[in-house]
Amino acid sequence: MLLQVQRIREMGHVYYHHPGDNQFSLDFVHEAPSEIVARIVEYDDDVAVKVRKYDLDSEFFGIYTSRVGGGDVGDLEFDLGEALSEMGADNGTIVARLLEIYQALIAQNEEEEGVPVEAYKNIDIDALPDALNRVSWEGNATDVAGRLASNLILKHALPNANHRTAVALVQFYLRRIAPDFSMPETSVEIDSETYDWREWVNEYINESKRLLTVRRKNVLLKHLSDFGATTLERKHEVQIDLTAYELDMYPAEAKTVYATAHEELWIEFVEEAVERTDNPELMETPGLSKAEFAEKIRTLE
């Protein structure tokens, strides 16, 4: 087990991803060194650990963890045929196309940046139909597309590129209703090897990441707040103002509250996208049900 200890004193600022290696994320905090040691020895052998000491209103330690031994996304292996057969026809059809979209995005990313995309976990195939089952498929096209994107991101079933895949899925879904629809430009070339989200998209992506963090880690963030933390920083300099979110609730309640907020955020994203492309009628057009969406996909094959 890898272990590194650092100490830091910053006014109310805590890192969610370790500033020395953003593959490590904050997993546990406590003021007692004995509790930190007890937690460390519980981790499996494939978990690397870094420990960072903070001194805010009070001193405490944070454990940052990362799974070791990850490979390239292109090297991941899974039995897709067997998994699809257990999902049901409609879910299987949509998941198969979703994975094609994901693989195309990864290939594009590797071509643009010239290096393989690293996978920090396997694809959670079983979580994908669950994400589809959680979508409310009733309502107008932009509402359904936003819910579809949100639930894919909330499940976090892909090893990376969950947000990019969700944006691509929005376009694919809306094109089954309006064949000429194309998403407005969402990325911008920083240099010959680096691409980033455009500013209008980045506002949604960053808030999405904030909501994901608060939803999954509200208890941890409440402890940080009690220790004097006011700002949590994710990688890529995404700042989370801990005073802006309700943290004092049971985890089950937080999952529900912030899942709803996340869905509303992504519906707003889709609405802005169709307005930017002069397709506001999609906000009034009935959406496709899951069965209708799956059938549209099958007619493409």
Side-chain angles (χ1 to χ4, degrees), residues 79-92:
D79 189 347
L80 182 58
E82 181 179 352
L84 292 178
S85 67
E86 297 175 354
M87 295 179 187
D90 292 341
N91 279 345

Side-chain angles (χ1 to χ4, degrees), residues 38-194:
R39 184 61 172 249
I40 289 173
V41 300
E42 293 178 355
Y43 289 116
D44 295 335
D45 292 339
D46 64 344
V47 176
V49 174
K50 295 180 186 289
V51 176
R52 193 173 180 87
K53 187 173 184 178
Y54 288 89
D55 187 359
L56 304 179
D57 289 351
S58 57
E59 291 187 350
F60 66 96
F61 298 88
I63 297 179
Y64 293 79
T65 61
S66 176
R67 294 207 173 268
V68 298
D72 299 338
V73 170
D75 296 333
L76 294 178
E77 296 181 359
F78 51 89
D79 189 347
L80 182 58
E82 181 179 352
L84 292 178
S85 67
E86 297 175 354
M87 295 179 187
D90 292 341
N91 279 345
T93 296
I94 298 171
V95 167
R97 183 53 60 115
L98 171 62
L99 291 175
E100 290 179 8
I101 293 171
Y102 172 67
Q103 290 167 343
L105 285 172
I106 294 300
Q108 178 184 358
N109 187 89
E110 292 180 346
E111 180 179 353
E112 291 172 348
E113 301 194 2
V115 294
V117 176
E118 185 177 356
Y120 66 92
K121 68 172 188 176
N122 289 322
I123 297 175
D124 188 353
I125 295 293
D126 294 336
L128 292 173
D130 189 35
L132 298 177
N133 292 338
R134 290 178 179 272
V135 174
S136 172
W137 294 85
E138 298 178 351
N140 63 49
T142 51
D143 283 359
V144 177
R147 295 185 201 117
L148 186 57
S150 173
N151 280 277
L152 173 62
I153 295 167
L154 288 173
K155 273 298 177 184
H156 208 71
L158 305 173
N160 42 40
N162 285 271
H163 283 88
R164 280 177 289 169
T165 304
V167 171
L169 185 60
V170 166
Q171 174 173 276
F172 182 79
Y173 175 83
L174 292 179
R175 278 186 174 175
R176 308 288 71 77
I177 300 169
D180 294 331
F181 174 79
S182 290
M183 288 290 292
E185 289 292 331
T186 58
S187 64
V188 60
E189 184 176 354
I190 305 301
D191 54 49
S192 61
E193 296 183 350
T194 307

Side-chain angles (χ1 to χ4, degrees), residues 223-237:
H223 289 320
L224 289 175
S225 180
D226 292 342
F227 287 137
T230 56
T231 305
L232 186 69
E233 181 176 339
R234 289 178 54 103
K235 59 186 175 182
H236 307 311
E237 300 182 345

